[in-house]
Amino acid sequence: MMEKVIDIKHLNKSFGSHEVLRDVNFTVNKGEVVCLIGSSGSGKSTLLRCINLLETPSGGEIIYNGENILDDKHDIKQYRTHLGMVFQQFNLFNNHNVLKNCVVGQQKVLKRSKEEAKANALKYLQIVGMDQYVNAKPRQLSGGQKQRVAIARALAMDPEVMLFDEPTSALDPEMVGEVLKVMRQLADEGHTMLIVTHEMEFAREVSDRVVFMDKGVIVEEGTPEQVLVNPKQERTKEFLKRTLKQ
Amino acid sequence: MSFDIILSILKENWPSYLQGAYITLLIAVFSTIIGALIGLLIGVVHTIPLRKKSFKAVILKIINFILTVYVEIFRGTPMIVQAMVVFYGLYAYGIEMDRFVAAVVVVGLNTGAYMAEYVRGGIVSIDKGQYEAAAAIGMGHFQTMVHVILPQVFRNILPATGNQLIMNIKDSAVLSVISVTELFFTTKSIAGANFRFAESFIITCFIYLIMTFIASRILRVIEKKMDGQDAYQVQTKKEEPIL
């Protein structure tokens, strides 16, 4: 029996009268790598952002380690420290250098000592290959470098689940590889990862499970083989035909 | 009007000119600092996210209303009038403020009203992603402000603050209406004694120009300092990284 880390039940989200997510049921198990795919506007990013409450769901439940975090009493800040988030636009703190970006959360939120935070940050910066750039400011880095620092910043909080929101979509083609390489390594190390991506090849290689979304609902989910190679649903086939043509 | 006369006025009155310039500078610097702090506080309060229908939200709405009234009044009336109202108004109620303190208070409150808008603009213009990234690692509103947003706002409002300092150096001249012995008031006394108005005020003109010029240069240097080096050092194994 696999251990459920995040269990989403009947999740709804609407912006005004526009329904973006409709009755989404979905789980992430410990150590699993799940890729969310689908065309733009299908609701996959919204689903990811609902999971760490950057968007407030309109209805449903998000169960994290057995507790519904949508309860009013639940400490959202505490919950968020268990989720590492990587954004499409990197969102590194512009006023801090690379090292400080990876340290500030550990010190101020997790209350770790300066030495401990620094050692931990350097460990992860080394993993993403950015340990030589500790003194650089975000504006001095390329897109790929920024995204690798952003990954290290998220990892430095030692989260239980890593969330990636189209981590390579804002990158020049030649920088996509360096970021995917880091993510592949994290997957191999057994991190629990939920990835919204348009990189089909990457999704096929790395993920344990692929979830295809369309118009706010989960249309099909299964192993990469099942969803990407032998899809059952018409809509999935349609989507794959369109994306693979490019 | 001749150069000789200017020189002789200067020779006779330079300690008074210096004293006046010193008071002007003190008023300008203190009031700009006070104004910047007021502006910062108001800007931050104005941008606290409102949760629906809590007791805190009601309190916050009332505070916001009061602050808006303050900003509108001080932006919408001449500083010369504010000086009269504050100084003689309080005087009428038996409170005799020190003239210098009254001057700093009036210019400071005036600056605060303008700075509040600059700060609000500075906070609003910070990319939403910065807030989201801070929220995603578990920071609260206060932590996000202190560690992420405000340091960036400081940098953004620095040019506006510099402008305000320069304006305060010049505009503090209107405080002569409450007999603060700043540069303009001092010059009036000097000219009143020697009846050489043009020459006496030409000297004053240059003193103001020197003060504003130096102020703007200093601010440029501070801006450069805050931006840091253009290049970064690639870290080799042995060196200790700087936090």
Side-chain angles (χ1 to χ4, degrees):
Chain A
M1 176 69 189
M2 276 200 274
E3 190 188 333
K4 288 177 184 172
V5 182
I6 294 172
D7 194 4
I8 291 169
K9 292 177 178 165
H10 309 294
L11 194 78
N12 289 301
K13 172 69 187 172
S14 34
F15 294 105
S17 60
H18 178 57
E19 278 191 310
V20 187
L21 295 176
R22 275 177 294 160
D23 196 27
V24 171
N25 293 286
F26 159 80
T27 55
V28 181
N29 299 310
K30 200 168 180 69
E32 210 181 16
V33 177
V34 182
C35 279
L36 280 170
I37 60 167
S39 46
S40 300
S42 59
K44 52 196 189 326
S45 280
T46 307
L47 174 57
L48 197 76
R49 290 166 58 82
C50 275
I51 290 177
N52 70 357
L53 301 179
L54 285 178
E55 304 290 351
T56 313
S58 314
E61 289 178 2
I62 297 175
I63 314 286
Y64 170 73
N65 284 343
E67 282 178 67
N68 181 13
I69 51 124
L70 293 180
D71 274 348
D72 282 343
K73 290 161 281 178
H74 212 91
D75 185 353
I76 293 172
K77 286 180 244 171
Q78 169 68 22
Y79 163 69
R80 278 174 172 155
T81 62
H82 299 299
L83 307 174
M85 179 79 171
V86 176
F87 297 88
Q88 185 178 349
Q89 299 295 343
F90 333 125
N91 295 345
L92 290 179
F93 301 136
N94 293 325
N95 53 318
H96 294 312
N97 67 18
V98 166
L99 184 60
K100 195 83 197 285
N101 258 283
C102 302
V103 162
V104 67
Q106 297 185 69
Q107 275 189 285
K108 305 302 171 191
V109 181
L110 299 178
K111 311 288 179 205
R112 287 179 184 162
S113 73
K114 192 171 165 183
E115 290 70 31
E116 191 191 355
K118 205 159 103 176
N120 204 38
L122 286 173
K123 180 176 107 188
Y124 287 109
L125 281 169
Q126 198 165 6
I127 289 175
V128 301
M130 287 298 292
D131 53 327
Q132 293 199 313
Y133 298 88
V134 282
N135 293 330
K137 284 283 182 80
R139 67 187 148 87
Q140 296 163 328
L141 301 176
S142 73
Q145 290 176 321
K146 280 186 210 175
Q147 195 59 298
R148 284 187 283 149
V149 173
I151 292 172
R153 174 178 68 180
L155 286 170
M157 300 290 286
D158 296 308
E160 203 170 352
V161 185
M162 285 287 287
L163 309 174
F164 293 84
D165 188 8
E166 303 195 29
T168 57
S169 296
L171 297 177
D172 290 337
E174 67 258 44
M175 289 169 185
V176 170
E178 62 187 71
V179 172
L180 292 185
K181 194 178 136 219
V182 168
M183 291 170 64
R184 217 169 255 139
Q185 190 187 340
L186 297 179
D188 291 342
E189 285 170 5
H191 282 94
T192 310
M193 294 159 75
L194 179 56
I195 306 163
V196 171
T197 187
H198 290 286
E199 301 284 335
M200 292 306 148
E201 191 56 34
F202 173 76
R204 202 173 60 80
E205 285 171 31
V206 168
S207 50
D208 299 306
R209 193 149 50 93
V210 173
V211 177
F212 171 68
M213 285 185 73
D214 191 37
K215 294 182 181 135
V217 294
I218 291 176
V219 176
E220 193 166 357
E221 65 178 303
T223 63
E225 287 292 310
Q226 287 168 339
V227 178
L228 296 174
V229 185
N230 306 305
K232 290 195 188 66
Q233 303 288 330
E234 261 326 296
R235 279 195 276 176
T236 319
K237 286 178 194 166
E238 188 77 12
F239 169 76
L240 288 172
K241 216 193 291 175
R242 259 185 295 135
T243 47
L244 294 178
K245 233 184 234 166
Q246 289 166 355
Chain B
M1 190 160 90
S2 79
F3 193 63
D4 293 342
I5 298 174
I6 293 178
L7 271 187
S8 75
I9 293 174
L10 203 51
K11 214 179 265 173
E12 230 167 275
N13 299 295
W14 67 266
S16 309
Y17 275 117
L18 269 190
Q19 175 65 19
Y22 173 67
I23 297 293
T24 291
L25 263 190
L26 275 190
I27 293 173
V29 169
F30 278 128
S31 60
T32 306
I33 292 171
I34 292 171
L37 291 178
I38 294 174
L40 208 61
L41 201 71
I42 296 179
V44 170
V45 172
H46 269 319
T47 49
I48 293 175
L50 279 175
R51 293 245 174 76
K52 296 164 265 173
K53 284 183 194 160
S54 67
F55 181 65
K56 249 168 84 182
V58 177
I59 299 277
L60 204 60
K61 272 214 169 124
I62 295 170
I63 295 175
N64 273 339
F65 176 75
I66 295 170
L67 293 178
T68 308
V69 169
Y70 153 70
V71 169
E72 292 301 331
I73 288 177
F74 275 84
R75 268 199 324 189
T77 56
M79 193 156 76
I80 194 166
V81 177
Q82 292 160 15
M84 297 296 268
V85 170
V86 169
F87 185 70
Y88 292 109
L90 289 177
Y91 193 80
Y93 286 97
I95 305 164
E96 198 179 344
M97 257 177 141
D98 180 73
R99 285 167 204 274
F100 175 77
V101 174
V104 171
V105 167
V106 168
V107 184
L109 286 175
N110 207 281
T111 309
Y114 283 96
M115 291 300 296
E117 283 301 294
Y118 299 141
V119 173
R120 201 184 60 83
I123 293 176
V124 171
S125 71
I126 301 286
D127 179 29
K128 210 175 96 212
Q130 299 283 309
Y131 292 92
E132 289 187 349
I137 58 172
M139 285 189 185
H141 179 74
F142 187 71
Q143 282 181 324
T144 306
M145 277 292 158
V146 171
H147 300 296
V148 179
I149 306 299
L150 287 183
Q152 297 182 49
V153 172
F154 275 132
R155 175 61 191 87
N156 290 348
I157 65 165
L158 203 57
T161 313
N163 241 349
Q164 201 64 48
L165 174 64
I166 286 166
M167 274 168 58
N168 286 346
I169 290 175
K170 296 184 299 170
D171 291 355
S172 56
V174 306
L175 295 163
S176 59
V177 294
I178 56 168
S179 310
V180 180
T181 53
E182 43 67 57
L183 185 55
F184 181 79
F185 188 85
T186 310
T187 315
K188 259 196 344 190
S189 323
I190 294 170
N194 64 15
F195 292 107
R196 289 286 183 178
F197 282 86
E199 289 87 349
S200 302
F201 275 99
I202 279 179
I203 296 170
T204 308
C205 193
F206 274 104
I207 298 175
Y208 273 119
L209 203 56
I210 291 166
M211 289 197 293
T212 51
F213 183 78
I214 291 175
S216 75
R217 290 300 112 171
I218 289 175
L219 279 152
R220 205 51 66 72
V221 171
I222 295 175
E223 270 174 48
K224 275 252 171 74
K225 260 263 155 62
M226 277 185 96
D227 286 343
Q229 288 161 322
D230 284 337
Y232 55 85
Q233 296 234 293
V234 171
Q235 201 72 36
T236 49
K237 282 279 138 61
K238 280 175 197 129
E239 295 171 73
E240 266 292 285
I242 308 148
L243 257 187

